[in-house]
Amino acid sequence: MRSLHGIDVERIRAFSDAVFAIAITLLALEITVPEDLPTAELGHALKEEALPSVAGYLLSFVVVGALWISHHRLFRMAKVVDGPLLYVDLALMALVAALPFPTKIVTEYHSSAIATSLYAGTITLAALLIAAMAIRLLRHPSLCDIDIPRALIAQTLQHAVGVAIVFGSSVPVAVIISSDAAEYWWLLAVPVRYCLGRHHTKRNKHAAVAAPRLPS
């Protein structure tokens, strides 16, 4: 289906998938050790330089993967892309493509509150952009296929808001307490998403039970 700007939804989805894939590839390329090391120093280099890079890569891989899943779900539901939705999507792609930079900063300056806040702020903004696209689809049902339940879009919105709250609230944790505490704080994103998913499922079941049955 062609958007109001003459761009197919499928083409937008393909472009976005390419951006996510390139971002993940760039994250992997940051895992390096100094060249021409003596054999005796290789173990130390792997521990002191490669291991933090691997940790940063895995963290950002999970984050990018979660963003990609949410983005993919939204654009599987959309049949038309209007101007605001397109521009928000482009802003998200810009953030995803730039994510290797804050990942490298937080890896190299692990104990810095500024580095931790930069990374957390980037993820928070990306999650809010996902939420903005979900809100756009909820407020303009004509952009979606008619057989798409609004509950699916609402679930994506809840997940995005949950991630934004966790990473956004970690910024004052990093400034007031420590960057280590803020990074542990990020782990809350997993139970928050799980709890929101369970709450969403239960509410849908209750709504289905309470819905009046049409006479046969």
Side-chain angles (χ1 to χ4, degrees), residues 40-151:
E41 297 181 10
L42 179 59
H44 180 269
L46 289 173
K47 178 181 178 181
E48 297 299 326
E49 298 192 30
L51 190 59
S53 297
V54 170
Y57 164 75
L58 291 176
L59 172 63
S60 291
F61 182 88
V62 172
V63 170
V64 171
L67 291 174
W68 175 78
I69 290 173
S70 297
H71 181 275
H72 188 72
R73 285 176 178 172
L74 286 178
F75 277 83
R76 287 288 294 177
M77 302 173 195
K79 68 175 182 178
V80 175
V81 178
D82 63 356
L85 192 61
L86 177 62
Y87 298 140
V88 173
D89 181 59
L90 289 175
L92 176 64
M93 293 305 102
L95 270 183
V96 171
L99 187 59
F101 174 70
T103 301
K104 182 178 181 179
I105 294 299
V106 78
T107 300
E108 294 184 354
Y109 302 93
H110 173 73
S111 60
S112 169
I114 296 178
T116 304
S117 299
L118 174 64
Y119 185 86
T122 303
I123 303 304
T124 301
L125 184 54
L128 289 176
L129 289 173
I130 291 285
M133 289 192 288
I135 292 173
R136 184 69 183 176
L137 293 179
L138 285 172
R139 291 185 175 179
H140 298 271
S142 60
L143 298 176
C144 301
D145 288 325
I146 57 175
D147 57 343
I148 295 296
R150 289 173 58 87

Side-chain angles (χ1 to χ4, degrees), residues 175-200:
V175 174
I176 298 173
I177 304 176
S178 70
S179 59
D180 289 336
E183 291 174 11
Y184 283 114
W185 188 268
W186 296 342
L187 298 176
L188 291 174
V190 176
V192 166
R193 283 178 61 91
Y194 176 75
C195 291
L196 287 175
R198 288 197 62 182
H199 174 73
H200 182 82

